[in-house]
């Protein structure tokens, strides 16, 4: 389990104002969008959405997709993006998108159980669509945040403050415990490894969104701790391998 | 303690001074030596191998699931401990009579294969150029449909052209095929015989040195009960065949039974280090040492006259005459081992009963390796140690039936699978495949490979890379590997299998004197929805023949993979009554012979009495029913329906050995038919006549790695990851080389740049490099790329790779500069026949540089064909064989499929 000291601040208590409802619904939409972009290869419908209705709002939010993204034929772009997705997030040597790998160096460890338990608690069952997918996939984790934010907005809309509060608590806890310690840093590394600008931008956008979301629910000290956790520079080992003879024995 | 000692207590007990406290404590401690104080309820966890396992964190009892190890090919019995659907630990299966509860380091760390972040978890379709590393993820369904389409195209072409030979363009190559017949079923269903194993880069010449003599392809030594062991070129304590069971029993024999161990190896292996006497022969001369020992034994009358008379196809006089030239002095001249030691060891071996030899890679992996193995084997025969308690025994395996119906073999023999120039090489000559394809001798349409990495594991491995990169020669390549090996990265389609801990296989390995069956079963569900190979085969066949019109669906009509297993195990007499497949799932192995005695490590029954293995298998009587209608030939061979079923000696009918005469055929007519010497001989190799600036390059395996596929295992990579060249101090000094120096090792094929490890533990004319290092693929850990580009590589996010890899040397692989040269008899690659020059690195050389030439390797191929039975060098090297050289049999395709 996590050992961080961050605490959810007062700002996490939902207030049933139109503004809050709108904000939570928007947040949900953003999470769902990036979840769809990261959980699997881009599909035709999402591509059309990105190139159509979302083009302006995304650009206004600072996510300006480059000209090629709009100029390339749909089929070609889908192929190119599928290849990039596989190289970046699926095939050996990729930036592994699972919390277990980032946290422990192995597939299917405790972060998987924690994620699955949180899904269950909120009434979701995890079912993979393709082989090699696990509940602690970054895309799924983000999608879950989207569901929680949506649940909160809907509860607020129907005036069920208890349900809204429960959804908000789940959201805060999940964001703080299951994504906060690693996901923004992971996004940064993955963005650096991305060869295609689309994925670089999705990942940079995600990183930014996560930091903002975390800042809303964490005090300064907690945020500093999260920043340190996400940095994950290679450790300098105080181990001198040279004492071993050339034999390697 | 100071806290306790100074604390005030209430009541009758006064304050305890520190001195009193220490005194009392010490007194209690002393008393506890004889009397066990403390709680009688608390037991140390995991005290007993194979016992229950309790999680130290949750206190939950872990589920234990038996399986058969395949971290290497010994097939030890294991038990996986599973908690929350995850493997937390592997242990040896105490019920497995040969493993007896112990796994080696590879076996213990095998579960890391399952959770390796660089494992291939989904089918991948190539999108860029071959080898460019560009892929698209597809589903198993899409992948199997694509493969089925490609296979069906070949079948349709064969049908439309009315040429069944076209089916042999479907190729299946494996390095390890432990599928219990699944690959053969698949290929035969498709009508192809082009199945290519890896055996000739391994011990095929050992097999061919043994099979024509006594039937099976390996010996099973009764190590624990022996009194004298001669080891020829095998590192049995670390790596050789049946390593784990053999190593356990060898230690039982040497330590428990006070057996003497004499070891011959060019290098001070850990086995030689453990021996009473270690000798360092010149490479490729084990055979002449064995022949000289036989010479002494025969000439000094130390042989078992009755055994030779009754159980071989030669006479003592014949052997004495044949062995005449092989004096210990001659052997000394060839091997550099002193004649007096050869003589003494021969006498000791012949007069100490029981005794046995063991041999593995050292003698076999040379040109003419089959002769060397046959010579070593002969020592056991002439001393009558065969099938005796403590002696040199036949291997003991068990068969299991194949589900019915079974597809017939393909109708046309495959040139690639069994090159006709090697009629005696019953395990074929896979090294020649790329050369034959490049020369246009055979066409390939679909190439599939399983557990195979020739681009790394074969001699002159660059030739395989050259083949795989050529899309005209191999138009469609499918890998079933769950790891991105050097070969898999050159595939067009990857349909990843699961790891050995997640799939089903039937098994039986003769790894000791107790025959048994064992199984592989998923100890956890295949990770992340991956699919086991067996299911992939079922799916592909159903898609190749969707409406059943090809008639091949029937061979894969299993409702599930488990159904397939039931069909293997549910009808076996004896096992059936004990529960068949269900028992196998619970126990992992059958039969259960007894328990392992904790003191002696012997198998004992419930009364504590040893359960002895059966000895003297060849002396079992032929069943009376079989004798009915059988005929006895002049030589005593009992034949029925044209098949030899036993041998009559005196008035007894014995089953004998698995040879045409049912005796041990030290004289091999089949060898003679092709112009080879029918009796074991020594042939001086070109490497024995090297120039003074040359050295013989040898390779060796280490105890924590297989040839190729363990490099990505974190525990093992940390233990062993670099492989400098072992070189003798005198040899190094003559070249101005110091320990750790950068050196260039050059053969005629090219050079590598690596480092020197100076050690007395190697013959001065030899250098040795271990395998398992220097990968250019196989995941981040084996490639150690983060050390080249830390920033970029750390992006993978594995914290072990980022933080815990303290080493920066992944080693340098020697295979690219090892020359192709095969034993014309047994087919083994002559791994230890390459001559090299070793010098300090040249200006501009960098550690890990490799330079090779495909053209030179092609010349090596042509040169090695000259040694084949049709070649000019064969005649020159076998002038002593009395045969009509102008009427040798014509090269013929292996009849009737494979
Ligand atoms: S020797 Fe080791 S790796 Fe090989 S089967 Fe036995 S335990 Fe497994």
């Amino acid at each position: 389990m996590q050992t961080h000291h961050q605490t959810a601040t007062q700002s996490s208590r939902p207030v049933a104002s139109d503004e809050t409802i709108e904000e939570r619904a928007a947040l949900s939409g953003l999470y769902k969008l990036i979840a769809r972009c990261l959980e699997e290869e881009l599909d035709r419908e999402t591509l059309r959405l990105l190139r159509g209705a979302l083009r302006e709002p995304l650009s206004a939010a600072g996510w300006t997709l480059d000209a090629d993204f709009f100029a390339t034929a749909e089929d070609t772009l889908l192929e190119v993006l599928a290849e990039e997705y596989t190289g970046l997030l699926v095939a050996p040597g990729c930036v592994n998108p699972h919390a277990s790998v980032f946290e422990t160096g192995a597939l299917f460890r405790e972060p998987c159980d924690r994620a699955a338990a949180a899904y269950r608690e909120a009434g979701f069952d995890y079912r993979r669509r393709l082989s090699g997918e696990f509940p602690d996939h970054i895309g799924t984790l983000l999608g879950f945040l989207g569901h929680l934010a949506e649940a909160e907005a809907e509860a607020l809309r129907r005036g069920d403050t208890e349900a809204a509060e429960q959804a908000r608590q789940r959201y805060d806890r999940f964001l703080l415990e299951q994504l906060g310690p690693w996901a923004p840093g992971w996004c940064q590394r993955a963005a650096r490894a991305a060869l295609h600008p689309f994925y670089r931008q999705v990942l940079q956008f995600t990183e930014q969104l996560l930091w903002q979301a975390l800042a809303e629910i964490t005090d300064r000290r907690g945020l500093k701790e999260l920043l340190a956790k996400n940095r994950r520079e290679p450790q300098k080992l105080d181990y001198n391998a040279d004492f071993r003879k050339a034999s390697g024995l | 303690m100071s806290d306790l000692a100074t604390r005030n207590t209430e009541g009758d007990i006064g304050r305890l001074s520190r001195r009193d406290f220490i005194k009392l404590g010490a007194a209690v401690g002393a008393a506890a030596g004889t009397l066990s104080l403390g709680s009688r309820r608390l037991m140390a966890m995991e005290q007993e191998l194979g016992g229950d396992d309790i999680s130290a964190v949750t206190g939950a009892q872990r589920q234990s699931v038996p399986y058969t190890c395949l971290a290497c090919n010994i097939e030890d019995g294991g038990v996986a401990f599973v908690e929350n659907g995850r493997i937390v630990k592997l242990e040896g299966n105490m019920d497995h009579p040969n493993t007896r509860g112990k796994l080696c380091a590879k076996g213990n760390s095998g579960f890391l294969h399952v959770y390796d972040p660089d494992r291939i978890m989904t089918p991948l379709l190539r999108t860029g150029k071959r080898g460019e590393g560009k892929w698209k993820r597809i589903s198993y369904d899409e992948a199997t449909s694509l493969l089925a389409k490609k296979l069906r195209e070949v079948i349709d072409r064969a049908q439309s052209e009315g040429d069944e030979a076209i089916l042999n363009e479907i190729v299946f190559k494996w390095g390890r095929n432990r599928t219990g017949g699944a690959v053969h079923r698949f290929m035969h269903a498709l009508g192809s015989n082009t199945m290519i194993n890896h055996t000739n880069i391994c011990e095929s010449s050992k097999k061919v040195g043994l099979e024509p003599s006594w039937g099976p392809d390996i010996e099973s030594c009764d190590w624990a009960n022996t009194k004298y062991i001669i080891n020829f070129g095998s590192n049995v304590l670390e790596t050789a065949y049946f390593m784990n069971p053999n190593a356990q029993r060898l230690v039982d024999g040497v330590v428990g039974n006070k057996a003497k161990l004499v070891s011959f190896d060019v290098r001070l292996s850990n086995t030689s280090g453990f021996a009473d006497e270690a000798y360092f022969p010149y490479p490729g001369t084990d055979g002449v040492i064995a022949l000289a020992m036989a010479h002494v034994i025969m000439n000094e009358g130390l042989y078992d006259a009755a055994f030779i008379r009754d159980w071989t196809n030669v006479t003592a006089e014949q052997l004495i005459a044949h062995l005449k030239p092989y004096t210990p002095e001659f052997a000394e001249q060839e091997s550099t081992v002193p004649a007096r030691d050869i003589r003494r060891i021969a006498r000791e071996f012949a007069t100490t009963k029981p005794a046995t030899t063991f041999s593995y890679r050292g003698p076999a992996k040379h040109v003419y390796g089959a002769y060397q193995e046959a010579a070593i084997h002969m020592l056991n025969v002439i001393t009558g140690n065969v099938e005796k308690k403590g002696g040199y025994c036949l291997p003991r395996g068990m068969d299991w039936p194949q589900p019915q119906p079974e597809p017939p073999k393909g109708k046309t023999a495959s040139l690639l699978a069994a090159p006709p120039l090697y009629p005696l090489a019953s395990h074929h000559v896979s090294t020649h495949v790329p050369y034959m394809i490049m020369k246009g001798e055979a066409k390939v349409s679909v190439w599939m490979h399983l557990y195979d990495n020739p681009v790394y594991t074969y001699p002159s491995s660059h030739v395989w890379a050259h083949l795989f990169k050529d899309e005209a020669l191999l138009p469609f390549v499918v890998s079933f590997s769950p790891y991105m090996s050097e070969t898999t990265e050159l595939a067009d389609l990857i349909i990843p299998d699961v790891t050995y801990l997640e799939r089903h296989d039937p098994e039986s390995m003769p790894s000791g004197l107790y025959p048994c069956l064992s199984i592989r079963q998923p100890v956890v569900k295949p990770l992340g929805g991956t699919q086991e190979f067996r299911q992939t085969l079922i799916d592909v066949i159903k898609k190749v023949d969707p409406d059943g019109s090809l008639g091949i669906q029937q061979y894969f009509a299993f409702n599930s993979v488990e159904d397939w297993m039931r069909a293997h195990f549910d009808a076996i007499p004896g096992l059936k009554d004990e529960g068949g497949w269900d028992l196998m799932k619970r126990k992992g192995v059958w039969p259960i012979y007894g328990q392992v005695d904790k003191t002696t490590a012997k198998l004992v029954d419930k009364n504590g009495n040893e359960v002895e293995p059966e000895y003297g298998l060849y002396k079992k009587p032929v069943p009376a029913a079989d004798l009915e209608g059988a005929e006895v030939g002049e030589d005593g061979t009992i034949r029925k329906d044209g098949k030899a079923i036993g041998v009559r000696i005196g008035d007894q009918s014995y089953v004998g050995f698995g040879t045409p005469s049912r005796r041990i055929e030290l004289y091999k007519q089949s060898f003679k038919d092709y112009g080879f010497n029918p009796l074991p001989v020594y042939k001086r190799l070109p490497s024995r006549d090297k120039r003074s600036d040359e050295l013989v390059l040898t390779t060796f395996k280490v105890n924590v790695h297989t040839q190729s596929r363990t490099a990505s295992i974190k525990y093992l990579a940390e233990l062993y990851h670099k492989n400098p060249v072992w070189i003798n101090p005198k040899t190094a000094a003559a070249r101005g080389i110091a320990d750790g120096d950068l050196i260039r090792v050059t053969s005629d094929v090219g050079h590598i740049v690596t480092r020197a490890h100076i050690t007395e533990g190697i013959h001065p004319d030899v250098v040795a490099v271990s395998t398992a290092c220097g990968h250019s693929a196989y995941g981040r850990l084996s490639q150690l790329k983060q050390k080249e580009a830390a920033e970029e590589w750390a992006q993978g996010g594995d914290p072990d790779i980022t933080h815990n890899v303290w080493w920066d040397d992944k080693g340098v692989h020697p295979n690219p500069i090892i020359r192709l040269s095969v034993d014309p008899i047994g087919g083994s690659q002559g791994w230890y026949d390459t001559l090299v020059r070793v010098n300090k690195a040249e200006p501009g050389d960098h550690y890990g540089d490799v330079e090779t030439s495909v053209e030179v390797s092609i010349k090596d191929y042509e040169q090695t064909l000259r040694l084949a039975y049709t070649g000019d060098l064969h005649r020159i090297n076998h002038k002593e064989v009395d045969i009509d050289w102008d009427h040798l049999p014509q090269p013929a395709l292996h009849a009737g499929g494979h």
Side-chain angles (χ1 to χ4, degrees):
Chain A
M1 290 304 286
Q2 304 301 307
T3 54
H4 51 73
H5 303 294
Q6 300 89 356
T7 47
T9 61
Q10 287 306 312
S11 69
S12 66
R13 185 168 290 270
V15 183
S17 66
D18 285 351
E19 207 181 317
T20 310
I21 294 171
E22 193 183 26
E23 188 198 296
R24 300 314 282 178
L27 189 63
S28 161
L30 285 178
Y31 280 129
K32 287 182 172 180
L33 175 69
I34 52 179
R36 174 55 61 85
C37 292
L38 293 178
E39 196 179 38
E40 60 191 48
E41 294 82 346
L42 207 61
D43 57 48
R44 200 174 294 277
E45 289 66 38
T46 314
L47 177 63
R48 287 184 181 163
L49 199 65
L50 287 165
R51 301 215 288 192
L54 292 182
R55 181 173 183 169
E56 289 311 318
L58 281 176
S59 173
W63 178 359
T64 311
L65 293 157
D66 67 350
D68 266 3
F69 188 77
F70 296 98
T72 311
E74 198 172 84
D75 284 345
T76 313
L77 186 58
L78 286 171
E79 280 296 305
V80 168
L81 289 174
E83 180 185 286
E84 168 70 3
Y85 183 89
T86 305
L88 183 63
L89 301 175
V90 178
C94 72
V95 184
N96 200 294
H98 297 101
S100 289
V101 173
F102 209 64
E103 299 274 13
T104 72
L107 289 162
F108 186 56
R109 313 315 295 172
E110 292 70 19
C112 236
D113 297 349
R114 289 208 304 268
Y119 301 160
R120 267 197 306 278
E121 192 194 43
F124 291 98
D125 208 6
Y126 175 81
R127 286 198 206 132
R128 73 174 53 87
R129 289 161 65 97
L130 288 163
S131 66
E133 296 176 340
F134 297 92
D136 58 344
H137 191 288
I138 183 86
T140 312
L141 299 174
L142 290 165
F144 182 59
L145 283 180
H147 282 297
L148 293 175
E150 182 187 35
E152 185 189 339
E154 275 182 6
L156 289 173
R157 240 178 239 132
R158 48 171 207 273
D160 186 346
T161 48
E162 207 178 310
E165 186 162 343
Q166 190 189 45
R168 172 64 75 99
Q169 276 172 2
R170 281 186 178 141
Y171 168 91
D172 287 358
R173 205 171 63 228
F174 193 79
L175 173 62
L176 204 58
E177 292 180 357
Q178 304 219 24
L179 283 142
W182 71 282
W186 178 89
C187 288
Q188 202 180 82
R189 279 166 175 74
R192 255 190 268 149
L195 298 174
H196 195 283
F198 172 72
Y199 282 105
R200 198 162 53 241
Q201 288 170 342
V202 178
L203 289 157
Q204 283 167 350
F205 183 81
T206 309
E207 186 197 352
Q208 210 183 343
L209 180 70
L210 284 169
W211 279 128
Q212 273 178 14
L214 285 162
E216 270 180 31
I217 60 166
T218 321
D219 57 22
R220 261 182 84 77
R221 182 165 155 247
L223 209 57
K224 265 176 99 173
E225 277 182 23
L226 287 177
L227 272 166
K229 278 194 174 136
N230 275 274
R231 210 167 287 127
R232 299 185 191 223
E233 297 300 339
Q235 272 170 20
K236 180 111 184 58
L237 295 169
D238 57 348
Y239 185 96
N240 178 9
D242 290 341
F243 83 90
R244 291 182 179 226
K245 280 205 69 183
S247 67
L249 301 174
Chain B
M1 287 305 134
S2 59
D3 192 22
L4 170 74
T6 55
R7 189 181 300 151
N8 278 319
T9 52
E10 289 180 6
D12 297 341
I13 311 290
R15 194 180 150 130
L16 191 64
S17 74
R18 177 174 165 74
R19 209 177 47 136
D20 293 343
F21 159 76
I22 299 280
K23 215 169 143 188
L24 175 62
V28 173
T34 49
L35 175 71
S36 169
L37 292 175
S39 169
R40 293 180 201 262
R41 304 290 178 273
L42 294 176
M43 301 293 163
M45 283 169 76
E46 302 170 32
Q47 265 181 324
E48 292 179 12
L49 283 170
D52 291 343
D53 197 42
I54 310 291
S55 164
V57 179
T58 63
Q61 169 136 17
R62 289 160 172 170
Q63 192 194 351
S64 55
V65 191
Y67 68 96
T68 304
C69 187
L70 187 52
C72 87
N73 195 38
I74 308 307
E75 321 302 337
D76 277 303
V79 176
F81 291 94
V82 177
E83 192 182 337
N84 286 336
R86 286 186 189 91
I87 308 163
V88 291
K89 189 175 70 167
L90 304 175
E91 245 183 30
N93 185 350
M94 290 299 274
D95 287 328
H96 194 294
N98 302 321
T99 299
R100 301 187 202 181
K102 295 192 183 84
L103 301 180
C104 78
K106 302 185 291 283
N108 276 304
S109 23
F111 69 98
L112 293 179
H113 281 294
V114 179
Y115 304 111
D116 185 342
D118 275 339
R119 172 176 167 182
I120 306 172
M121 297 293 291
T122 176
L124 296 172
L125 180 64
R126 171 169 75 88
T127 51
K129 289 200 197 86
R130 235 186 227 169
E132 201 187 355
K134 290 191 175 165
W135 305 95
K136 192 174 108 172
R137 161 166 79 166
I138 58 173
S139 65
Y140 276 98
D141 184 38
E142 290 169 297
T144 48
S145 298
L146 178 58
L147 173 56
K149 180 173 157 270
K150 294 283 182 185
L151 293 169
R152 184 65 199 242
E153 279 168 15
V154 182
I155 293 169
D156 288 347
R157 187 157 47 86
Q159 284 187 345
S160 66
E161 293 181 24
D163 182 1
E164 300 213 326
I166 288 174
L167 296 174
N168 281 338
E169 292 174 19
I170 299 171
V171 177
F172 201 111
K173 172 144 178 25
W174 63 79
R176 280 280 165 257
N177 174 8
R178 304 305 309 176
T179 64
V183 171
H184 281 71
R185 174 174 289 264
F186 178 69
M187 289 296 282
H188 288 157
L190 296 171
S192 172
N193 285 320
T194 315
M195 284 171 276
I196 302 166
N197 61 28
H198 87 301
T199 315
N200 94 308
I201 62 160
C202 199
E203 81 288 52
S204 61
S205 287
K206 174 179 177 68
K207 292 171 186 276
V208 176
L210 294 179
E211 284 164 351
S213 178
W214 73 341
D217 59 355
I218 195 163
E219 68 275 37
S220 190
C221 308
D222 190 9
W223 308 95
N225 293 307
T226 197
K227 280 290 179 193
Y228 202 99
I229 305 159
I230 305 180
N231 166 48
F232 285 101
S234 132
N235 189 4
V236 65
L237 283 182
E238 288 194 74
T239 63
Y241 216 30
F242 307 134
M243 170 256 157
N244 178 24
N246 274 351
Q248 291 182 41
R249 302 283 88 73
L250 171 61
V251 173
D252 289 349
V254 170
V255 177
N257 204 36
K258 305 273 182 289
K260 179 167 182 176
L261 172 63
V262 178
S263 184
F264 294 88
D265 199 324
V266 298
R267 183 182 71 92
L268 186 64
S269 67
N270 280 336
T271 306
S272 284
F274 182 69
D276 296 276
E277 293 180 30
Y279 295 90
F280 300 83
Y282 195 94
T285 62
D286 305 71
V288 75
I289 296 168
L291 289 166
M293 288 181 182
H295 171 103
V296 173
I297 293 165
M298 295 307 298
N299 281 289
E300 297 187 6
L302 304 175
Y303 57 89
D304 185 329
F307 191 82
I308 294 176
R309 182 194 64 227
D310 291 344
W311 286 105
T312 73
N313 66 346
V314 291
T315 63
E317 293 68 37
Q318 239 178 312
L319 284 180
I320 290 169
H322 173 74
L323 293 166
K324 196 163 178 232
Y326 300 118
T327 60
E329 285 66 28
F330 174 68
E332 174 174 346
Q333 202 180 302
E334 293 300 305
S335 68
T336 70
V337 174
R340 64 174 183 284
D341 290 319
I342 295 174
R343 200 166 264 119
R344 177 179 50 79
I345 294 164
R347 288 172 186 150
E348 286 176 5
F349 182 77
T351 55
T352 311
K353 302 283 181 189
T356 182
T357 67
F358 187 70
S359 57
Y360 205 58
R361 288 171 29 128
K365 289 183 175 186
H366 288 281
V367 165
Y368 301 127
Y371 283 145
Q372 301 216 68
E373 179 61 28
I376 295 163
H377 164 79
M378 185 166 69
L379 287 175
N380 301 280
V381 178
I382 60 176
T383 51
N385 275 303
V386 174
E387 273 292 307
K388 294 263 168 66
K389 182 175 179 178
Y392 177 90
C393 299
L394 292 159
R396 286 131 162 89
M398 273 175 103
D399 266 344
W400 62 86
Q402 288 295 333
Q404 296 301 318
E406 254 192 296
K409 292 173 177 176
K411 295 209 175 78
T412 318
S414 162
L415 185 80
L416 288 178
L421 300 187
Y422 297 86
L424 300 171
S426 49
H427 301 269
H428 314 306
V429 195
S430 62
T431 45
H432 287 10
V433 166
Y435 304 90
M436 294 166 81
I437 296 172
M438 288 191 294
K439 284 182 165 289
E441 291 172 22
K443 195 178 159 208
V444 175
S445 291
V446 178
W447 178 291
M448 296 170 276
H449 59 94
L450 173 76
Y451 267 83
D452 194 34
N453 190 12
V455 175
Y456 177 86
T457 56
Y458 271 61
S460 294
S461 42
H462 54 283
V463 175
W464 287 83
H466 184 78
L467 171 74
F468 274 87
K469 282 179 188 157
D470 192 328
E471 293 183 38
L473 295 178
L474 302 188
F476 190 66
V477 177
V478 184
S479 169
F480 296 107
S481 171
Y483 292 98
M484 197 58 93
S485 69
E486 284 80 355
T487 308
T488 294
E489 67 181 12
L490 296 174
D492 299 310
L493 174 67
I494 303 170
I495 312 180
D497 186 11
V498 295
T499 70
Y500 68 91
L501 291 161
E502 303 161 283
R503 69 156 188 269
H504 298 84
D505 291 311
E507 275 292 359
S508 180
M509 260 297 182
S511 58
L513 294 173
Y514 299 87
C516 62
L517 294 171
S518 70
I519 59 154
R520 216 164 273 121
Q521 63 178 326
V523 303
V524 287
K525 273 203 274 182
L527 196 73
T530 44
Q531 176 168 303
E532 70 169 291
F533 174 67
R534 214 170 270 277
Q535 184 63 49
T536 294
L537 295 186
I538 296 173
D539 293 351
V540 170
I541 288 294
K542 285 185 176 158
K543 288 174 179 180
V544 169
D545 186 18
D547 55 6
S549 58
L550 286 179
I552 63 174
Q553 240 200 50
Q554 55 172 325
Y555 306 123
F556 287 81
F558 307 109
N559 291 324
S560 66
V561 166
E562 201 167 328
D563 250 25
W564 191 338
M565 288 301 107
R566 283 194 186 283
H568 283 303
F569 287 105
D570 272 355
I572 295 173
L575 173 60
K576 186 180 169 190
D577 309 326
E578 292 184 39
W581 168 246
D582 291 326
L583 177 99
M584 295 305 288
K585 277 173 68 172
R586 278 201 317 279
K587 290 295 201 180
V589 64
W590 181 83
I592 313 288
Y593 284 90
Q595 289 179 342
V596 180
D597 183 278
K598 285 176 192 142
T599 318
T600 62
K602 291 186 191 303
L603 288 183
V604 293
D605 62 18
K606 52 182 182 300
N607 300 319
N609 298 321
E610 185 181 355
V611 181
E612 273 219 353
E614 237 187 313
Y615 297 102
L617 298 187
Y618 65 100
K619 280 190 150 177
K620 282 189 176 180
V622 180
D626 291 357
L627 283 175
E628 262 174 51
E631 288 172 5
V632 182
E634 260 178 40
D635 62 349
T637 311
I638 306 167
R639 284 196 178 76
K640 192 173 175 181
D641 304 327
K643 226 180 103 193
I645 59 163
V647 61
R648 175 73 57 91
I649 293 171
D651 55 0
Q652 300 289 317
S653 298
Y654 301 107
V655 293
F657 295 90
T659 60
S661 65
R662 306 303 285 186
R663 289 183 160 92
I664 293 180
E665 300 194 355
L666 291 179
Y667 184 100
K668 297 165 189 68
Q669 183 59 43
S670 57
F671 280 28
K672 189 167 181 201
D673 290 344
Y674 292 94
F676 294 99
N677 201 311
L679 285 162
V681 285
Y682 167 70
K683 296 286 171 193
R684 188 177 167 106
L685 297 171
S687 58
R688 190 69 191 86
D689 297 316
K690 70 178 184 61
R691 295 197 316 258
S692 63
D693 66 331
E694 289 177 321
L695 299 166
V696 186
L697 172 62
T698 66
T699 60
F700 61 96
K701 281 192 188 177
V702 294
N703 55 354
V704 300
H705 281 295
T706 61
Q707 200 78 275
S708 147
R709 64 180 189 273
T710 45
S712 61
I713 296 297
K714 290 173 179 174
Y715 296 172
L716 303 178
E718 179 160 19
L719 287 168
Y720 190 93
H721 44 258
K722 60 180 176 177
N723 59 346
V725 178
W726 288 34
I727 183 165
N728 189 282
K730 280 192 209 125
T731 317
R735 289 158 176 78
I737 294 168
D739 194 41
D741 270 0
L742 202 61
I743 54 171
R744 195 188 250 238
V745 183
T746 309
S747 75
D748 282 359
V749 176
H751 73 261
I752 54 173
V753 178
T754 180
R755 290 193 188 279
H757 168 54
I758 297 184
T759 169
E760 295 275 356
I762 186 143
H763 192 289
D765 287 312
V766 181
V767 284
V769 192
S770 88
T771 54
C773 299
H775 274 279
S776 64
Y778 237 103
R780 278 169 259 243
L781 192 66
S782 59
Q783 288 168 263
L784 221 55
K785 280 226 177 168
Q786 84 281 8
K787 297 290 176 185
E788 292 164 20
E791 171 84 345
E792 199 183 307
W793 204 253
Q795 286 166 355
D798 175 344
D800 282 326
I801 301 278
T802 313
H803 305 309
N804 299 336
V805 176
W806 49 263
W807 58 100
D808 55 9
D809 186 347
K810 66 170 183 176
V812 181
H813 191 43
N815 285 16
I817 62 162
I818 292 177
R819 300 178 67 180
L820 174 76
S821 74
V822 310
D823 174 12
I825 309 169
S828 263
Q829 155 67 17
W831 281 106
Y832 314 134
D833 294 335
T834 296
L835 292 174
V836 291
R837 296 171 299 288
V838 178
N839 300 102
K840 286 185 90 153
E842 295 178 13
D845 278 357
H846 295 104
Y847 183 70
D849 284 353
V850 179
E851 205 174 289
T852 51
S853 159
V854 172
E855 289 69 35
V856 174
S857 295
I858 290 173
K859 287 206 181 94
D860 283 345
Y861 170 66
E862 279 153 8
Q863 178 68 13
T864 211
L865 290 183
R866 295 178 62 198
L867 293 167
Y869 88 94
T870 47
D872 59 331
L873 293 179
H874 174 52
R875 283 184 185 216
I876 293 168
N877 289 346
H878 286 89
K879 289 195 186 108
E880 80 279 13
V881 179
D882 173 24
I883 191 169
D884 178 358
W885 284 100
D886 295 328
H887 293 92
L888 291 177
Q890 285 300 306
L893 277 173
H894 193 292
H898 314 287

